[in-house]
Amino acid sequence: MTERQQLFGVALDPLTMDETVERCLEAVRDGRQLEIGVVNAAKLVNMRRDERLAKAVSGCDLVLADGQAVVWAGRVLRAPLPERVAGIDLFLRLLAEAEAAGISVYFLGAKQEVMEQMLLRVADRFPGLKVAGSRNGYFDDSEQQEIADAIARSGAQMLFLGMTSPKKEIFTAAYGARTGARVVHGVGGSFDILAGVTKRAPASWQRWGLEWLYRVKQEPRRLGRRYLTTNVSFLLMTARELIRLTPSTAPANRSH
């Protein structure tokens, strides 16, 4: 078992994409549940402000660096992570593995029209995939147990949640086990990308950690202020932590 790295008080699993996929397939084979949490700069900032979110993420079986900025911060703060494991890339890898191995999946999240479009594109891209069921992500908290029971009845072995934070983390923390799914993965806005509603940043933008800026370009009024605020907060968090970890070079006082 790889030892976790502590970053901003959060325990992260230093796994590669291939290692993460293998862990997921092992969980399905062994019949045990693996709940996956992913963090980027914005989520780490919000975890400082939202205790429920922090508790839900920290309770996951695997916590992975979804954002490139998190990987860079890990290097600076002596908590090295081998690579970014982006939630959408893991999602696509798991769909491909599920198709090859006959593993059934369930999709929960997004608007109904987005879900329908995504299902069409998934069927085209992964024609052999066993989809046990799907449901849009617009429901009251009072419906969570009923939805979890429906997922359990479907027999799905992998559950993908295309919902925003902290809703998806809180749902999985409270009802993930009840769904009976062996792998539970919150994929955020990935359903919108697969449906073609939003575009993903080009690979070059991703390498430079600028996916957030590409998203702002698509929705400046909704996302501009949010990303500016969280990015500045993340830089300040990293600077404060670096200062805390850097030993003082001031000479010790001598008593006379």
Side-chain angles (χ1 to χ4, degrees):
M1 187 69 75
T2 310
E3 187 176 344
R4 283 181 149 182
Q5 297 283 10
Q6 294 291 327
L7 192 62
F8 307 113
V10 180
L12 275 74
D13 293 278
L15 300 176
T16 64
M17 177 65 76
D18 289 343
E19 290 168 340
T20 303
V21 170
E22 185 52 38
R23 290 275 188 99
C24 292
L25 296 177
E26 284 175 2
V28 173
R29 287 195 297 266
D30 298 345
R32 51 188 177 77
Q33 189 166 68
L34 187 70
E35 187 180 329
I36 300 168
V38 296
V39 294
N40 55 21
K43 191 180 290 185
L44 285 170
V45 169
N46 290 330
M47 285 169 68
R48 290 277 178 100
R49 304 167 178 168
D50 187 336
E51 190 176 343
R52 288 180 74 194
L53 175 61
K55 188 174 180 182
V57 172
S58 298
C60 291
D61 301 296
L62 287 182
V63 182
L64 306 164
D66 175 65
Q68 188 60 44
V70 178
V71 177
W72 289 338
R75 290 174 189 165
V76 170
L77 301 175
R78 300 195 286 277
L81 302 163
E83 65 183 20
R84 176 190 182 206
V85 182
I88 185 169
D89 293 331
L90 178 59
F91 177 33
L92 292 171
R93 281 285 302 271
L94 290 177
L95 289 180
E97 295 289 349
E99 179 187 32
I103 296 168
S104 58
V105 305
Y106 194 104
F107 302 111
L108 175 63
K111 296 177 181 177
Q112 185 59 35
E113 57 268 31
V114 172
M115 174 64 75
E116 290 169 4
Q117 185 61 32
M118 186 196 74
L119 289 172
L120 289 173
R121 293 195 173 201
V122 165
D124 184 55
R125 187 167 178 175
F126 306 101
L129 182 67
K130 293 167 62 177
V131 179
S134 63
R135 191 200 189 285
N136 68 61
Y138 288 78
F139 52 84
D140 294 327
D141 288 350
S142 60
E143 298 177 85
Q144 290 186 116
Q145 182 173 316
E146 179 187 332
I147 290 167
D149 289 341
I151 295 168
R153 287 194 299 272
S154 78
Q157 295 162 287
M158 290 185 177
L159 169 62
F160 300 103
L161 298 111
M163 302 189 295
T164 56
S165 296
K167 187 172 183 178
K168 67 175 180 289
E169 287 86 1
I170 291 169
F171 175 83
T172 54
Y175 295 99
R178 193 179 182 104
T179 66
R182 299 310 180 197
V183 174
V184 180
H185 178 24
V187 298
S190 298
F191 289 5
D192 287 347
I193 293 173
L194 259 66
V197 174
T198 58
K199 292 182 180 179
R200 192 179 183 194
S204 58
W205 290 59
Q206 294 176 45
R207 282 194 299 273
W208 287 101
L210 294 174
E211 240 174 327
W212 63 272
L213 184 57
Y214 194 83
R215 288 197 64 200
V216 169
K217 282 182 64 181
Q218 293 182 74
E219 300 181 79
R221 295 184 68 180
R222 188 174 78 86
L223 298 176
R225 183 180 176 85
R226 183 199 304 179
Y227 275 111
L228 178 62
T229 303
T230 53
N231 285 353
V232 170
S233 296
F234 185 74
L235 285 171
L236 290 173
M237 276 171 54
T238 304
R240 282 195 294 266
E241 190 68 9
L242 182 60
I243 291 168
R244 188 184 70 82
L245 292 174
T246 304
S248 174
T249 56
N253 291 329
R254 294 184 180 179
S255 55
H256 296 282

